[in-house]
């Protein structure tokens, strides 16, 4: 599903040039659950943004679904994102003025689903995520755990092939964090590819393997079946 070759991302200002990622080579198969770990500033979120087609690399190659997409235009990237990728963020990124139902419905509106199709699909996902009883509430009326359930619902409502999760448990207590991780694990077992950035060694172990980043480089990959440098 994903392959990068010598992926590099450099941020340049008038005063300084910062290399966020330096010659990163990874391969992620369809159906895998991959965790990405490393200290703050090591390039984890930058890598996730590139994998999620939110940004282009400075150099290198990126193959997504066997297409070379490193130099795609924003319009091309947006089309691929909408059709294939769901995002889950630490800060939930829900729209306060919209109800739970309306927040989850948004991706389907962008994809041009009919009103009846949207209603059916959103209700199915809210039932699946056990948040149906809050469908008419607004985000600020929900607990952190409930808000993240809504965020996960929004991420999966269009049945994406890939879910990218950036510190999805970062703002949650341990019980709600466990809840979200169990949801991601269930989605992965149902066939969805999951790539997750986390600071938690415990939650990283949900993955089939753990990629460790340091200063923009991959330093180790820890597989469930063994350890590889």
């Amino acid at each position: 599903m994903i392959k990068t070759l010598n992926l590099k991302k450099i941020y340049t200002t008038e005063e300084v040039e910062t290399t966020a990622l330096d010659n990163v080579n990874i391969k992620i198969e369809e159906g895998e659950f991959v965790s990405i770990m490393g200290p703050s500033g090591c390039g984890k979120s930058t890598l996730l943004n590139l994998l999620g087609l939110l940004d282009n690399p400075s150099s290198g190659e990126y193959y997504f679904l066997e297409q070379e997409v490193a130099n795609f235009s924003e319009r091309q990237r947006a089309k691929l994102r909408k059709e294939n990728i769901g995002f889950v963020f630490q800060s939930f990124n829900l729209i306060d003025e919209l109800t739970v139902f309306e927040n989850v419905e948004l991706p389907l509106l962008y994809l041009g689903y009919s009103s009846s199709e949207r209603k059916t699909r959103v209700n199915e996902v809210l039932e699946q995520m056990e948040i149906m009883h809050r469908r008419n509430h607004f985000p600020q009326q929900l607990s952190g755990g409930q808000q993240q359930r809504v965020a996960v619902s929004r991420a999966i409502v269009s049945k994406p092939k890939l879910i990218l999760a950036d510190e999805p448990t970062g703002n949650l207590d341990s019980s709600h964090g466990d809840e979200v991780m169990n949801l991601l694990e269930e989605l992965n077992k149902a066939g969805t590819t999951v790539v997750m950035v986390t600071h938690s060694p415990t939650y990283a172990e949900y993955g089939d393997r753990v990629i460790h980043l340091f200063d923009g480089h991959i330093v180790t990959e820890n597989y469930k079946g063994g350890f590889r440098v």
Side-chain angles (χ1 to χ4, degrees), residues 2 13 21 57 63 75 106 136 170 193 218 221 227:
I2 286 172
T13 67
L21 292 175
Y63 294 87
R75 178 174 292 184
L106 268 181
N136 294 318
T193 306
I218 293 177
E221 288 190 55
F227 192 76

Side-chain angles (χ1 to χ4, degrees), residues 23 27 31 72 74 187 211:
N23 293 327
K27 189 174 183 181
F72 267 28
E74 170 52 30
L187 292 168
I211 295 173

Side-chain angles (χ1 to χ4, degrees), residues 1-2 28-32 65 161 191-193:
M1 172 175 274
I2 286 172
I28 298 172
E29 302 289 351
E30 194 167 339
E32 271 197 286
L65 298 175
K161 296 179 176 69
T192 306
T193 306

Side-chain angles (χ1 to χ4, degrees), residues 37 61 88 141 153 162 164 185 191:
M37 294 192 73
E61 300 172 46
V88 181
Q141 297 174 300
S153 299
L162 171 67
L164 298 176
E185 187 177 46

